[in-house]
Tab-separated table of all heavy atoms in Angstrom:
chain	number	residue	atom	x	y	z
A	169	ASP	N	24.989	6.346	12.507
A	169	ASP	CA	25.704	7.492	11.942
A	169	ASP	C	25.482	7.684	10.438
A	169	ASP	O	25.871	8.693	9.876
A	169	ASP	CB	27.207	7.377	12.242
A	169	ASP	CG	27.757	6.005	11.892
A	169	ASP	OD1	26.954	5.145	11.496
A	169	ASP	OD2	28.975	5.816	12.005
A	170	GLU	N	24.857	6.713	9.787
A	170	GLU	CA	24.587	6.884	8.353
A	170	GLU	C	23.324	7.717	8.157
A	170	GLU	O	22.433	7.702	8.994
A	170	GLU	CB	24.409	5.515	7.677
A	170	GLU	CG	25.740	4.865	7.398
A	170	GLU	CD	25.605	3.592	6.569
A	170	GLU	OE1	24.603	3.434	5.851
A	170	GLU	OE2	26.521	2.769	6.663
A	171	PRO	N	23.270	8.461	7.046
A	171	PRO	CA	22.073	9.284	6.848
A	171	PRO	C	20.816	8.433	6.762
A	171	PRO	O	20.836	7.341	6.203
A	171	PRO	CB	22.331	9.993	5.508
A	171	PRO	CG	23.555	9.405	4.931
A	171	PRO	CD	24.236	8.564	5.959
A	172	ARG	N	19.766	8.929	7.352
A	172	ARG	CA	18.513	8.178	7.408
A	172	ARG	C	17.863	8.106	6.031
A	172	ARG	O	17.845	9.082	5.296
A	172	ARG	CB	17.581	8.908	8.396
A	172	ARG	CG	16.826	7.947	9.279
A	172	ARG	CD	15.702	8.610	10.050
A	172	ARG	NE	14.744	7.587	10.442
A	172	ARG	CZ	13.892	7.037	9.615
A	172	ARG	NH1	13.865	7.387	8.355
A	172	ARG	NH2	13.061	6.098	10.041
A	173	PHE	N	17.339	6.926	5.681
A	173	PHE	CA	16.590	6.766	4.441
A	173	PHE	C	15.301	7.586	4.523
A	173	PHE	O	14.595	7.529	5.525
A	173	PHE	CB	16.269	5.275	4.230
A	173	PHE	CG	15.309	5.013	3.116
A	173	PHE	CD1	15.682	5.210	1.797
A	173	PHE	CD2	14.019	4.558	3.369
A	173	PHE	CE1	14.791	4.967	0.753
A	173	PHE	CE2	13.121	4.311	2.336
A	173	PHE	CZ	13.517	4.517	1.029
A	174	GLN	N	15.024	8.370	3.509
A	174	GLN	CA	13.827	9.214	3.504
A	174	GLN	C	12.839	8.664	2.486
A	174	GLN	O	13.040	8.828	1.278
A	174	GLN	CB	14.187	10.666	3.150
A	174	GLN	CG	15.143	11.319	4.131
A	174	GLN	CD	14.544	11.561	5.509
A	174	GLN	OE1	13.320	11.517	5.685
A	174	GLN	NE2	15.371	11.779	6.505
A	175	ILE	N	11.800	8.046	2.960
A	175	ILE	CA	10.866	7.353	2.069
A	175	ILE	C	10.182	8.328	1.094
A	175	ILE	O	10.027	8.022	-0.090
A	175	ILE	CB	9.846	6.512	2.881
A	175	ILE	CG1	9.107	5.527	1.977
A	175	ILE	CG2	8.884	7.353	3.668
A	175	ILE	CD1	8.380	4.425	2.717
A	176	HIS	N	9.823	9.527	1.559
A	176	HIS	CA	9.183	10.512	0.678
A	176	HIS	C	10.123	10.877	-0.474
A	176	HIS	O	9.724	10.894	-1.634
A	176	HIS	CB	8.824	11.792	1.440
A	176	HIS	CG	7.688	11.624	2.403
A	176	HIS	ND1	7.863	11.118	3.665
A	176	HIS	CD2	6.371	11.884	2.283
A	176	HIS	CE1	6.688	11.092	4.281
A	176	HIS	NE2	5.771	11.545	3.466
A	177	ASP	N	11.388	11.180	-0.126
A	177	ASP	CA	12.366	11.598	-1.148
A	177	ASP	C	12.618	10.466	-2.128
A	177	ASP	O	12.753	10.681	-3.325
A	177	ASP	CB	13.704	11.989	-0.493
A	177	ASP	CG	13.533	13.188	0.422
A	177	ASP	OD1	12.470	13.834	0.347
A	177	ASP	OD2	14.451	13.464	1.205
A	178	TYR	N	12.693	9.237	-1.601
A	178	TYR	CA	12.968	8.078	-2.460
A	178	TYR	C	11.863	7.914	-3.501
A	178	TYR	O	12.130	7.782	-4.695
A	178	TYR	CB	13.087	6.818	-1.602
A	178	TYR	CG	13.257	5.559	-2.427
A	178	TYR	CD1	14.444	5.315	-3.108
A	178	TYR	CD2	12.225	4.629	-2.536
A	178	TYR	CE1	14.586	4.171	-3.893
A	178	TYR	CE2	12.366	3.488	-3.305
A	178	TYR	CZ	13.548	3.268	-3.975
A	178	TYR	OH	13.687	2.144	-4.747
A	179	ILE	N	10.634	7.953	-3.056
A	179	ILE	CA	9.498	7.780	-3.974
A	179	ILE	C	9.497	8.888	-5.028
A	179	ILE	O	9.339	8.644	-6.214
A	179	ILE	CB	8.170	7.766	-3.188
A	179	ILE	CG1	8.057	6.449	-2.436
A	179	ILE	CG2	6.970	7.961	-4.090
A	179	ILE	CD1	6.897	6.370	-1.501
A	180	GLU	N	9.742	10.111	-4.557
A	180	GLU	CA	9.742	11.241	-5.493
A	180	GLU	C	10.837	11.069	-6.541
A	180	GLU	O	10.603	11.233	-7.732
A	180	GLU	CB	9.955	12.534	-4.710
A	180	GLU	CG	9.244	13.709	-5.332
A	180	GLU	CD	9.260	14.894	-4.387
A	180	GLU	OE1	8.476	14.885	-3.417
A	180	GLU	OE2	10.081	15.795	-4.614
A	181	SER	N	12.031	10.678	-6.098
A	181	SER	CA	13.140	10.545	-7.048
A	181	SER	C	12.897	9.397	-8.022
A	181	SER	O	13.182	9.508	-9.206
A	181	SER	CB	14.465	10.342	-6.304
A	181	SER	OG	14.450	9.066	-5.690
A	182	GLN	N	12.330	8.307	-7.543
A	182	GLN	CA	12.088	7.159	-8.418
A	182	GLN	C	10.975	7.456	-9.411
A	182	GLN	O	11.007	7.006	-10.547
A	182	GLN	CB	11.703	5.924	-7.596
A	182	GLN	CG	12.805	5.434	-6.695
A	182	GLN	CD	14.055	5.046	-7.475
A	182	GLN	OE1	14.017	4.241	-8.383
A	182	GLN	NE2	15.182	5.657	-7.135
A	183	GLN	N	9.970	8.225	-8.976
A	183	GLN	CA	8.854	8.528	-9.880
A	183	GLN	C	9.294	9.451	-10.993
A	183	GLN	O	8.728	9.455	-12.060
A	183	GLN	CB	7.714	9.167	-9.110
A	183	GLN	CG	6.935	8.140	-8.321
A	183	GLN	CD	5.638	8.708	-7.804
A	183	GLN	OE1	5.619	9.775	-7.227
A	183	GLN	NE2	4.561	8.004	-7.988
A	184	LYS	N	10.331	10.251	-10.743
A	184	LYS	CA	10.803	11.194	-11.765
A	184	LYS	C	11.633	10.499	-12.828
A	184	LYS	O	11.893	11.051	-13.874
A	184	LYS	CB	11.606	12.310	-11.101
A	184	LYS	CG	10.693	13.376	-10.565
A	184	LYS	CD	11.462	14.525	-9.961
A	184	LYS	CE	10.520	15.455	-9.208
A	184	LYS	NZ	11.151	16.025	-8.030
A	185	LYS	N	12.103	9.263	-12.534
A	185	LYS	CA	12.929	8.560	-13.510
A	185	LYS	C	12.135	8.280	-14.782
A	185	LYS	O	10.987	7.856	-14.694
A	185	LYS	CB	13.406	7.227	-12.926
A	185	LYS	CG	14.601	7.379	-12.042
A	185	LYS	CD	15.173	6.022	-11.723
A	185	LYS	CE	16.388	6.148	-10.843
A	185	LYS	NZ	16.780	4.872	-10.287
A	186	PRO	N	12.740	8.460	-15.960
A	186	PRO	CA	12.001	8.171	-17.182
A	186	PRO	C	11.559	6.716	-17.203
A	186	PRO	O	12.263	5.844	-16.708
A	186	PRO	CB	13.011	8.447	-18.307
A	186	PRO	CG	14.313	8.746	-17.672
A	186	PRO	CD	14.123	8.898	-16.205
A	187	ASN	N	10.412	6.456	-17.747
A	187	ASN	CA	9.812	5.119	-17.890
A	187	ASN	C	9.250	4.544	-16.606
A	187	ASN	O	8.503	3.584	-16.627
A	187	ASN	CB	10.806	4.075	-18.458
A	187	ASN	CG	11.292	4.507	-19.815
A	187	ASN	OD1	10.547	5.125	-20.554
A	187	ASN	ND2	12.536	4.190	-20.125
A	188	CYS	N	9.606	5.143	-15.488
A	188	CYS	CA	9.173	4.564	-14.218
A	188	CYS	C	7.670	4.468	-14.120
A	188	CYS	O	7.113	3.470	-13.714
A	188	CYS	CB	9.706	5.399	-13.053
A	188	CYS	SG	8.749	5.244	-11.559
A	189	CYS	N	6.974	5.548	-14.573
A	189	CYS	CA	5.553	5.588	-14.285
A	189	CYS	C	4.690	5.439	-15.533
A	189	CYS	O	3.481	5.630	-15.471
A	189	CYS	CB	5.204	6.907	-13.597
A	189	CYS	SG	6.285	7.189	-12.212
A	190	ALA	N	5.334	5.135	-16.623
A	190	ALA	CA	4.553	5.011	-17.856
A	190	ALA	C	3.576	3.846	-17.732
A	190	ALA	O	3.894	2.816	-17.166
A	190	ALA	CB	5.484	4.757	-19.028
Side-chain angles (χ1 to χ4, degrees):
D169 49 356
E170 280 187 23
R172 221 192 158 285
F173 170 70
Q174 299 292 344
I175 194 164
H176 289 83
D177 297 347
Y178 175 71
I179 287 173
E180 212 169 284
S181 69
Q182 295 300 305
Q183 283 192 311
K184 277 183 190 145
K185 278 191 179 167
N187 300 327
C188 156
C189 309

